Amino acid sequence: MNKYLLPIIAIIIGVGIAFFTKKDKSISTKLLLSFSGAFLLALTLFDLLPEVYHHIDDAKQTGLFIMCGILLQVILEFLSKGAEHGHVHIHKEDTAFPWLLFISLCIHSFLEGFPIHEHNDMVYGVLIHKIPIAALIGAFLLESSYTRLQIVGFLIIFGAMTPLGTFISNTMPFVAEYVDAINAVVIGIFLHISTTILFETGEGHKFNLSKLLAICLGILIAYFI
Ligand SMILES: [Zn+2]
Ligand SMILES: [Zn+2]
Ligand SMILES: [Zn+2]
């Protein structure tokens, strides 16, 4: 049951953070983002990558699927402007619903649900990754001039996408054949966003002890989970 609930809880926590911290999304969100990036990257390398290489016999084909995932995420970020890794560009005047952002986030979140199942820990990676993202998107929506219905609709559908992906990958027999290939694509997505997060949270490549500690902590927890 956790595999369906935790990604939804992540969004509730994230939006809660956005609601209660309002404008000071400073150091703590950045550290949480660094931590989540390292944690997701480490879990992908420890859990998901070996699993997929184990299931698909042709290693080069697996590599090709992973590259497709990286490419797909690059394309999604043209549309979302980087919301999947915590980059939201706010235009307060915009009242038109942000369809491109919404659709690319939904595709991303839907695919993200696929590698979640009982015998791996990816649900925790997705949980931790989603909290700061939901906080940033929540802050963006709260500051925007969209109607309450649009905001709630955005969050509910966005929140339902990951459990939907998990449900389809776990229960639909006709996708079972493709689950490993899709998981390889998701590895590419995760590699792209987590490394982007680690890269972007650094300011001018200055040495930053708290960021380094957040990253080490992410790797450590992922290792022992
Ligand atoms: Zn970015
Ligand atoms: Zn930007
Ligand atoms: Zn994601």
Side-chain angles (χ1 to χ4, degrees):
M1 208 56 224
N2 278 354
K3 63 181 195 270
Y4 295 115
L5 279 182
L6 289 179
I8 298 174
I9 291 171
I11 294 192
I12 297 171
I13 296 174
V15 174
I17 292 175
F19 193 76
F20 290 111
T21 58
K22 285 270 155 43
K23 282 215 160 76
D24 48 71
K25 46 173 181 185
S26 48
I27 314 155
S28 49
T29 326
K30 271 219 172 108
L31 283 181
L32 185 61
L33 204 56
S34 295
F35 170 77
S36 72
F39 185 68
L40 183 65
L41 180 59
L43 266 188
T44 304
L45 295 179
F46 298 153
D47 251 22
L48 196 55
L49 198 64
E51 181 188 311
V52 168
Y53 270 102
H54 181 74
H55 287 181
I56 303 179
D57 292 324
D58 186 350
K60 194 169 181 184
Q61 201 180 22
T62 310
L64 186 66
F65 287 135
I66 295 174
M67 284 310 303
C68 287
I70 293 178
L71 215 62
L72 175 64
Q73 185 59 39
V74 169
I75 294 168
L76 288 177
E77 287 185 9
F78 287 139
L79 308 175
S80 70
K81 309 287 178 219
E84 296 90 347
H85 64 257
H87 225 152
V88 188
H89 294 274
I90 301 166
H91 299 284
K92 278 198 184 129
E93 329 74 63
D94 285 0
T95 46
F97 192 76
W99 281 109
L100 288 180
L101 170 73
F102 177 67
I103 290 169
S104 54
L105 271 177
C106 284
I107 295 172
H108 169 94
S109 303
F110 175 66
L111 289 173
E112 190 163 81
F114 271 75
I116 295 175
H117 52 73
E118 253 90 41
H119 27 272
N120 71 18
D121 295 314
M122 288 317 293
V123 69
Y124 301 111
V126 171
L127 167 83
I128 299 296
H129 150 64
K130 263 188 190 302
I131 292 174
I133 303 300
L136 290 157
I137 290 166
F140 159 72
L141 290 174
L142 290 172
E143 279 177 45
S144 70
S145 39
Y146 307 130
T147 66
R148 201 160 288 170
L149 182 73
Q150 283 175 319
I151 294 176
V152 172
F154 188 119
L155 289 172
I156 288 179
I157 297 173
F158 167 57
M161 292 319 274
T162 299
L164 181 67
T166 307
F167 178 75
I168 290 177
S169 95
N170 279 269
T171 56
M172 303 281 161
F174 60 91
V175 290
E177 260 179 81
Y178 308 103
V179 163
D180 290 313
I182 297 171
N183 285 351
V185 171
V186 177
I187 290 174
I189 292 176
F190 285 166
L191 289 179
H192 180 70
I193 55 168
S194 55
T195 49
T196 308
I197 287 169
L198 294 185
F199 174 73
E200 282 189 354
T201 47
E203 247 144 87
H205 306 283
K206 267 188 286 175
F207 178 73
N208 184 333
L209 184 64
S210 43
K211 180 190 166 185
L212 192 64
L213 289 175
I215 293 173
C216 291
L217 194 67
I219 299 169
L220 221 76
I221 295 176
Y223 188 83
F224 288 108
I225 206 170

